[in-house]
Amino acid sequence: MVCAASQLKMLLLPVWASMLLGLLMGFLPVVGMEPTRGAASDSDHAPNVEPLPSSSGSNCSDLTVKLEFSTKVVEHEYIIGFTGYFSAKARSLYISSALRNAADDGALEWHIVPRENPASDFPSDFELVHIRQASPGSLRTLEDHPYIKRVTPQRKVFRMLKYTLSPEPAAPGNATRSWQSSRPFRRTSLSLSSGFWHATGRHSSRRLLRAIPRHVAQILQADVLWQMGHTGSGVKVAVFDTGLSEKHPHFKNVKERTNWTNEKTLDDGLGHGTFVAGVIASMRECQGFAPDSELHIFRVFTNNQVSYTSWFLDAFNYAILKKIDVLNLSIGGPDFMDHPFVDKVWELTANKVIMVSAIGNDGPLYGTLNNPADQMDVIGVGGIDFEDNIARFSSRGMTTWELPGGYGRVKPDIVTYGSGVRGSGMKEGCRSLSGTSVASPVVAGAVTLLASTVLNRELVNPASMKQALIASARRLPGVNMFEQGHGKLDLIRAYQILNSYKPQASLSPSYIDLTESPYMWPYCSQPIYYGGMPTIVNVTILNGMGVTGRIVDKPIWQPYLPQNGDHIDVAVSYSPVLWPWAGYLAVSISVAKKAASWEGIAQGHVMVTVASPAENASEAGGEMTSTVKLPIKVKIVPTPPRSKRVLWDQYHNLRYPPGYFPRDNLRMKNDPLDWNGDHIHTNFKDMYQHLRSMGYFVEVLGAPITCFDASQYGTLLMVDSEEEYFPEEITKLRRDIDNGLSLIVFSDWYNTSVMRKVKFYDENTRQWWMPDTGGANVPALNDLISVWGMAFSDGLYEGDFTLADHDMYYASGCSIARFPEDGIVIAKNLKDQGLEVLKQETAVVEGVPILGLYQTPSDGGGRIALYGDSNCIDDSHRQKDCFWMLDALLQYTSYSMTPPSLSHSHSRVTPPTGTEHPLPLRLEGNHLYRYSKVLEPHLGDPKPRPLPACPHLSWAKPQPLNETAPSNLWKHQKLLSVDLDKVALPNVRAYRPQVRPLSPGESGAWDIPGGIMPGRYNQEVGQTIPVFAFLGAMVVLSFFVVQLTKAKSKPKRRKPRIKRPTYLQQQQQTTTTMTTTGKNPAV
């Protein structure tokens, strides 16, 4: 019986274990798992909208998208901005009182446009008014009211979405398509097509199995923070996009959905808003960064892809009322002078809303940053692929706000994955999209997760979060700062910095090293020398101590004497007030006279002290201060000869915004605005690099022609000039050329009939938008060069031709109408593009003069070269470059060497006299004076303003240091009191899924039951697992306790005494007797 009982117990033990395992495994699918199923096709959408398609048979398809939109002015509708927040009744009274006497005859027809949205119940700082036949006088009367700040036109935003098949082969079970659209010219939703998708790990070795596609949150190690219990809880994050379905399975903490459009729905009919929300806060399959965050959905686009500025303004006000912590805005555009929008972004960040925005999809062209991502208080995000290459589509810096007198700031702030990122589908499943509007929610999700890790939430603000992100970013090798900003997002390092952060000020960039290549491009591409234009570096001051601040006293310049710091002069200008959270610090660097023939490295640093009002009530009237150091390192060379120095005229280049300045190539109908800055470091970057490779030193003139010493330069280069000229400039240029300065002019088209033809017409609003000039301001250029008997025509030509054995393309250029008879003129046969635009007819014009070279007659005078088209040196739409021709022209202007290929060309013709056709006139009624630095309004025609004074720099008084400068300025930016080595992470095992093949039709979720992330992402599972684990453990423990108790309760039996057999006893006695008597025993 005992043996049988023991055997029974041994048999029951695996039964108990099996029952326990079955108990646990049996319940998990019931409470936490969803069966794997193919995604149904989404067909319930508006008939005129193309939503994100779902691939049948798979929950996780590979998709890419391009979303872009444009805006137009709405006729008769105006946004009235007030100086504060007022009730609807008060706003109406203010407008009524302002317009009471505005009408010339009778009452002015106007009414307030009703806005039915969640913000209508609260006070507002603007009103939307419909004014019939509003005159400039009535608008000025409105602006004169003491409570009215600004009157701006209402804008309508229209977005075009289109799917096309991707050229990239899709992985098994994945459907790959693209959203594409026309080129934007205003605020744009920044997703992109799959042409820039790069496979992950294509160069890695020892890959036996294809890995499950990794989600971006795990790639950036968000799971480390999840295991620590940080999941975004308590952080309010807003998504401004196309809405979200109410019962989407990926989201469990949607706090509020609001609709700001004129459609009666809250759902997403396009799929983009769902994807963005999924990257931030999805809790299953394609997991987001912060699944426990409070998700606030703002639907600001209709299913017809339309929005209005007033919708955004109302939604922004509501976000402030709701005390939103993080706001993702995956839209952008070049209009940084859209005052209501820009002002409201400033107000949002001033209320501690951390705004994350996409930098734009207009790369690889430079000078293509989008607003609001280019603002100092906004985190601007660029895109990279999964091999850490800058995505081709990602927009590049610099900012162009500061042109022409200053220099742009470093943007983007940070880059992260934006190619092939996976997020939530419109109804279910996952999709892969590309674009900076994908990279933006990646950072927004990371910011939300990081904010939830900080115990003292008062320390988290737009400045401190940006400080942590850029100080922790990992720099990408071989990439300059206008492409990558401060580098790639590093979530874990940012967590370490935030959790030891103390309020302080910091700088972006944190140092100036003009010798560091390629990161410090373009500064590192050209050394500085005595007599050159000052090098301007625009540094951003981030103030984590408060929303407002100031610079105490003046910045201090301290040169290092052992490192020749006294060989350079430094001037500093800065923001009088740092608001909101940021300001600028413009550092101008020049070479001292004593270093005119010296070559070497010079170093020093600028000390800046920032003060902010103390927020602690106990310190009323007190201030918090923070001192930061800006190291400076430059390379100095002897002043180059005059013939090698080229001066680029930046002062006379105008661009959008604020006015409508059309593109130089009229073939680019979907890219109508000239908005890239026309700077040698933006859309003329390749030309600049070419000139540097040829040994020329290129400097930028950001002031009138009267403000430079012409004896220092060989050639003045004027390209695509739209600005007028002061009479004093015309006089000085003639004198300079007589004294040896040479001039090269690249012009563009100008035809008043074509300008009227290419004006914008909005079919919905019946609003015309007239250009303020042509591709170039030819009448102004003719005024400048008329003294030498030269002029451009109003002809408009295009076509291919060969010049000096080089293939050339003339793109919407003008011709030379007048030229001195002893000059060299080259002519080609071209198509009359003006005739095509005006009458849709085609004609070829023979012998169109396009290139002219002229030696001025004065003794020692300079030379002049004219060419009628700048597109061959402009990166924006260049098809065939003419850098070889620029080299030839510079040889002619700098060294008086006439290129034989031009002087003996069979295309040389007799110079035109200009008597055949009248010269072009300025467009009657144009509004160039509104944006011009030269013109001012006047009765009749505008007239020139008084000539401004030349900029004067106040050089800082040096405070020399007799100590050794640091040898390597590039270190990870360490904020004060932050040492990453001491901020160790807890010993948490990072969650990593298994790597195994992915079958077609299988969900691409991580290898977790039901696609659920570890941690607190499903409350039912989180509550069920501990209960059954506890019960199972108790059953096993009870079993062993019972067995032990039974064993101890049995009576202890004595060991029986064994009796020896009788035979053995007798044998032992016999042996003993025989031994005693001495006899041997017999056997």
Side-chain angles (χ1 to χ4, degrees):
M1 291 295 295
V2 174
C3 184
S6 300
Q7 292 178 355
L8 180 61
K9 292 172 186 176
M10 294 299 296
L11 290 173
L12 286 178
L13 185 59
V15 174
W16 279 104
S18 300
M19 290 177 61
L20 176 61
L21 184 60
L23 185 65
L24 293 175
M25 296 301 293
F27 276 96
L28 283 178
V30 175
V31 297
M33 287 188 66
E34 293 180 356
T36 303
R37 58 183 182 274
S41 177
D42 299 328
S43 59
D44 52 336
H45 55 272
N48 59 340
V49 177
E50 191 173 3
L52 285 169
S54 297
S55 62
S56 58
S58 175
N59 271 351
C60 299
S61 61
D62 189 12
L63 208 87
T64 52
V65 60
K66 183 173 183 177
L67 312 114
E68 294 181 341
F69 64 90
S70 60
T71 72
K72 299 291 180 65
V73 173
V74 179
E75 192 176 18
H76 306 315
E77 290 190 4
Y78 298 89
I79 296 174
I80 314 296
F82 295 92
T83 57
Y85 284 80
F86 302 100
S87 65
K89 183 178 180 181
R91 299 195 303 268
S92 177
L93 289 175
Y94 295 154
I95 297 174
S96 299
S97 62
L99 293 176
R100 187 170 295 124
N101 300 319
D104 296 329
D105 298 312
L108 187 69
E109 295 183 19
W110 68 276
H111 67 270
I112 294 177
V113 179
R115 310 196 311 272
E116 298 180 0
N117 55 53
S120 59
D121 297 331
F122 300 94
S124 178
D125 62 342
F126 80 97
E127 193 66 86
L128 184 61
V129 179
H130 185 278
I131 305 177
R132 190 72 177 176
Q133 297 179 345
S135 64
S138 62
L139 298 181
R140 283 195 297 270
T141 303
L142 275 170
E143 291 182 336
D144 289 341
H145 193 277
Y147 290 114
I148 294 178
K149 179 171 62 175
R150 185 180 292 115
V151 179
T152 55
Q154 161 83 318
R155 296 187 183 276
K156 178 180 181 180
V157 181
F158 183 76
R159 175 166 54 181
M160 286 293 296
L161 307 179
K162 182 181 179 182
Y163 292 107
T164 60
L165 292 177
S166 171
E168 286 284 337
N174 291 350
T176 305
R177 300 184 187 176
S178 300
W179 249 343
Q180 291 184 349
S181 75
S182 61
R183 176 72 167 73
F185 63 93
R186 289 291 178 86
R187 306 229 169 258
T188 305
S189 184
L190 301 168
S191 294
L192 203 71
S193 65
S194 62
F196 308 108
W197 162 256
H198 299 272
T200 306
R202 69 173 72 161
H203 302 301
S204 59
S205 60
R206 297 186 181 90
R207 298 179 66 234
L208 301 179
L209 300 175
R210 185 173 70 87
I212 297 176
R214 298 186 64 187
H215 298 300
V216 67
Q218 277 87 356
I219 293 174
L220 292 172
Q221 295 183 288
D223 47 353
V224 174
L225 301 183
W226 295 341
Q227 294 285 355
M228 296 166 59
H230 304 301
T231 57
S233 178
V235 180
K236 300 178 180 179
V237 56
V239 176
F240 278 60
D241 219 286
T242 56
L244 177 68
S245 300
E246 182 180 7
K247 297 182 179 179
H248 198 289
H250 289 183
F251 306 96
K252 295 296 183 183
N253 198 15
V254 179
K255 196 72 173 180
E256 185 178 25
R257 297 184 305 148
T258 52
N259 177 37
W260 304 89
T261 71
N262 54 13
E263 292 182 338
K264 305 300 181 182
T265 180
L266 293 166
D267 292 342
D268 183 5
L270 300 176
H272 186 259
T274 304
F275 180 91
V276 170
V279 172
I280 297 173
S282 172
M283 61 161 289
R284 62 181 65 228
E285 294 186 272
C286 33
Q287 295 93 342
F289 284 82
D292 284 341
S293 61
E294 292 185 11
L295 200 56
H296 294 253
I297 303 299
F298 289 73
R299 188 175 187 268
V300 291
F301 279 96
T302 67
N303 285 339
N304 291 328
Q305 307 158 41
V306 173
S307 185
Y308 290 86
T309 299
S310 60
W311 294 355
F312 275 101
L313 299 183
D314 270 330
F316 285 153
N317 282 340
Y318 192 70
I320 295 174
L321 289 170
K322 287 293 183 178
K323 299 185 182 302
I324 294 297
D325 298 310
V326 182
L327 191 152
N328 181 79
L329 199 62
S330 291
I331 69 167
D335 190 2
F336 55 79
M337 297 186 71
D338 184 3
H339 294 294
F341 191 92
V342 172
D343 289 352
K344 189 57 65 175
V345 170
W346 282 337
E347 185 179 351
L348 274 165
T349 56
N351 282 274
K352 299 189 73 171
V353 178
I354 302 173
M355 178 174 284
V356 183
S357 186
I359 205 68
N361 288 339
D362 300 299
L365 186 65
Y366 280 66
T368 51
L369 301 174
N370 283 213
N371 179 264
D374 61 350
Q375 294 183 209
M376 289 184 285
D377 53 320
V378 176
I379 300 174
V381 184
I384 59 175
D385 61 27
F386 284 106
E387 293 175 351
D388 290 350
N389 301 311
I390 298 295
R392 180 178 174 83
F393 57 76
S394 186
S395 289
R396 271 71 166 170
M398 59 182 175
T399 61
T400 58
W401 294 41
E402 299 79 9
L403 298 179
Y407 196 82
R409 289 171 283 108
V410 175
K411 283 279 182 169
D413 295 303
I414 198 169
V415 293
T416 191
Y417 300 116
S419 291
V421 173
R422 306 179 69 216
S424 300
M426 187 167 67
K427 298 297 182 182
E428 59 181 5
C430 303
R431 298 291 183 267
S432 292
L433 304 184
S434 296
T436 53
S437 76
V438 175
S440 178
V442 170
V443 173
V447 167
T448 304
L449 179 59
L450 288 170
S452 69
T453 68
V454 181
L455 296 178
N456 184 5
R457 296 286 174 88
E458 292 298 321
L459 294 178
V460 179
N461 57 57
S464 65
M465 184 59 71
K466 181 185 282 193
Q467 287 174 328
L469 292 179
I470 67 178
S472 61
R474 295 192 178 274
R475 185 176 297 181
L476 302 177
V479 181
N480 69 57
M481 59 185 178
F482 288 140
E483 291 184 328
Q484 67 168 313
H486 294 270
K488 173 187 173 183
L489 170 67
D490 190 324
L491 184 64
I492 301 303
R493 288 171 60 88
Y495 162 78
Q496 292 175 300
I497 288 178
L498 270 180
N499 279 268
S500 60
Y501 177 81
K502 293 181 180 180
Q504 61 198 269
S506 65
L507 303 175
S508 170
S510 62
Y511 67 96
I512 300 172
D513 187 352
L514 306 193
T515 68
E516 182 183 4
S517 178
Y519 181 73
M520 279 285 172
W521 187 93
Y523 299 110
C524 61
S525 63
Q526 180 171 297
I528 63 176
Y529 42 84
Y530 175 70
M533 293 289 175
T535 298
I536 304 174
V537 183
N538 202 340
V539 178
T540 298
I541 304 173
L542 297 174
N543 179 23
M545 298 179 292
V547 65
T548 184
R550 63 182 179 87
I551 292 181
V552 179
D553 298 328
K554 291 183 179 180
I556 302 172
W557 162 237
Q558 296 182 306
Y560 292 107
L561 295 182
Q563 276 71 41
N564 309 297
D566 55 339
H567 285 41
I568 57 176
D569 296 323
V570 170
V572 180
S573 60
Y574 48 88
S575 302
V577 177
L578 309 179
W579 184 92
W581 308 103
Y584 70 86
L585 181 74
V587 181
S588 300
I589 307 171
S590 188
V591 177
K593 185 176 181 179
K594 65 180 181 179
S597 58
W598 182 79
E599 182 174 359
I601 304 297
Q603 288 187 250
H605 66 246
V606 174
M607 299 289 292
V608 182
T609 300
V610 177
S612 284
E615 297 184 0
N616 194 335
S618 63
E619 301 178 10
E623 284 187 327
M624 299 176 62
T625 60
S626 177
T627 300
V628 289
K629 179 189 298 184
L630 179 68
I632 297 176
K633 183 179 181 181
V634 301
K635 180 180 181 181
I636 300 174
V637 297
T639 302
R642 180 182 185 183
S643 58
K644 283 292 186 180
R645 295 177 64 180
V646 177
L647 186 62
W648 173 272
D649 179 20
Q650 185 69 39
Y651 187 78
H652 295 93
N653 286 332
L654 299 176
R655 84 286 186 206
Y656 175 89
Y660 171 22
F661 298 98
R663 277 290 186 194
D664 307 325
N665 187 349
L666 290 177
R667 288 291 176 193
M668 304 301 166
K669 297 179 181 179
N670 61 343
D671 190 6
L673 295 181
D674 189 356
W675 64 283
N676 304 127
D678 287 344
H679 193 278
I680 59 172
H681 298 154
T682 58
N683 53 308
F684 288 94
K685 168 181 173 285
D686 290 349
M687 181 212 71
Y688 166 75
Q689 293 285 73
H690 176 80
L691 293 180
R692 287 294 301 130
S693 68
M694 299 301 295
Y696 291 100
F697 292 82
V698 188
E699 302 173 40
V700 176
L701 176 64
I705 294 175
T706 55
C707 296
F708 78 98
D709 182 4
S711 65
Q712 298 287 323
Y713 301 92
T715 303
L716 175 64
L717 187 55
M718 291 184 172
V719 180
D720 187 21
S721 301
E722 295 92 357
E723 181 63 279
E724 295 284 339
Y725 295 89
F726 291 102
E728 296 88 343
E729 291 183 294
I730 298 175
T731 302
K732 180 178 183 295
L733 183 62
R734 178 182 180 181
R735 185 171 63 251
D736 290 340
I737 291 180
D738 288 342
N739 293 328
L741 177 70
S742 293
L743 174 67
I744 297 178
V745 178
F746 282 80
S747 183
D748 273 298
W749 68 273
Y750 188 98
N751 185 289
T752 55
S753 299
V754 173
M755 289 165 64
R756 293 187 181 97
K757 186 71 174 180
V758 299
K759 61 185 178 182
F760 284 113
Y761 180 69
D762 186 355
E763 295 287 351
N764 299 312
T765 63
R766 301 184 301 279
Q767 180 75 26
W768 289 103
W769 197 4
M770 186 74 70
D772 296 303
T773 183
N777 192 341
V778 169
L781 284 173
N782 286 345
D783 291 343
L784 186 71
I785 61 178
S786 63
V787 66
W788 296 284
M790 302 177 184
F792 290 104
S793 76
D794 63 353
L796 206 164
Y797 305 96
E798 74 159 345
D800 294 288
F801 61 91
T802 301
L803 182 61
D805 297 327
H806 292 273
D807 292 334
M808 302 278 286
Y809 176 67
Y810 210 68
S812 304
C814 66
S815 64
I816 298 175
R818 183 186 300 166
F819 208 75
E821 61 181 7
D822 55 343
I824 300 173
V825 174
I826 304 297
K828 289 293 179 180
N829 299 336
L830 300 171
K831 291 190 295 185
D832 189 340
Q833 191 178 21
L835 184 65
E836 180 182 354
V837 172
L838 296 174
K839 298 183 178 181
Q840 291 74 50
E841 299 177 2
T842 303
V844 176
V845 181
E846 296 184 356
V848 178
I850 59 174
L851 176 63
L853 288 77
Y854 177 66
Q855 169 68 60
T856 58
S858 60
D859 186 21
R863 288 151 293 279
I864 301 175
L866 306 182
Y867 189 67
D869 179 33
S870 71
N871 283 279
C872 60
I873 58 174
D874 187 344
D875 301 345
S876 299
H877 300 297
R878 185 182 65 244
Q879 298 185 28
K880 299 175 182 178
D881 73 72
C882 61
F883 297 149
W884 70 269
M885 186 181 71
L886 180 60
D887 292 341
L889 295 181
L890 284 171
Q891 286 289 320
Y892 174 70
T893 58
S894 299
Y895 302 101
S896 189
M897 297 174 57
T898 304
S901 59
L902 299 179
S903 60
H904 299 90
S905 172
H906 62 83
S907 300
R908 182 172 177 178
V909 297
T910 303
T913 60
T915 58
E916 297 84 359
H917 301 285
L919 298 180
L921 301 176
R922 291 171 175 83
L923 179 65
E924 184 178 355
N926 75 80
H927 299 130
L928 184 61
Y929 65 89
R930 295 179 178 175
Y931 326 111
S932 172
K933 301 179 291 296
V934 177
L935 299 178
E936 64 180 359
H938 190 260
L939 294 176
D941 294 331
K943 67 175 184 178
R945 304 173 188 268
L947 181 70
C950 295
H952 174 71
L953 293 176
S954 179
W955 302 107
K957 184 178 180 180
Q959 298 182 9
L961 297 175
N962 193 17
E963 59 184 65
T964 304
S967 58
N968 183 11
L969 303 186
W970 177 50
K971 297 178 180 179
H972 283 292
Q973 295 171 319
K974 289 188 177 182
L975 300 179
L976 298 178
S977 305
V978 174
D979 188 348
L980 295 183
D981 297 331
K982 296 181 179 180
V983 187
L985 290 172
N987 187 17
V988 177
R989 182 179 63 86
Y991 179 84
R992 289 290 182 268
Q994 296 178 348
V995 178
R996 59 178 179 80
L998 184 66
S999 302
E1002 182 185 9
S1003 170
W1006 289 89
D1007 194 15
I1008 309 169
I1012 300 170
M1013 292 186 295
R1016 300 181 291 114
Y1017 308 130
N1018 187 295
Q1019 296 300 322
E1020 291 87 357
V1021 175
Q1023 296 172 2
T1024 305
I1025 291 178
V1027 171
F1028 285 104
F1030 177 76
L1031 292 177
M1034 292 302 298
V1035 170
V1036 174
L1037 181 61
S1038 300
F1039 172 76
F1040 286 107
V1041 168
V1042 169
Q1043 297 303 314
L1044 183 60
T1045 304
K1046 287 182 178 180
K1048 289 186 176 182
S1049 61
K1050 291 181 180 180
K1052 188 174 182 180
R1053 293 185 295 175
R1054 296 178 62 183
K1055 186 176 180 179
R1057 193 171 181 181
I1058 301 176
K1059 294 183 178 182
R1060 305 183 73 178
T1062 307
Y1063 170 78
L1064 292 177
Q1065 293 179 3
Q1066 294 176 353
Q1067 186 69 27
Q1068 184 178 5
Q1069 292 175 357
T1070 305
T1071 302
T1072 303
T1073 304
M1074 294 180 66
T1075 301
T1076 303
T1077 58
K1079 296 180 179 180
N1080 295 326
V1083 179

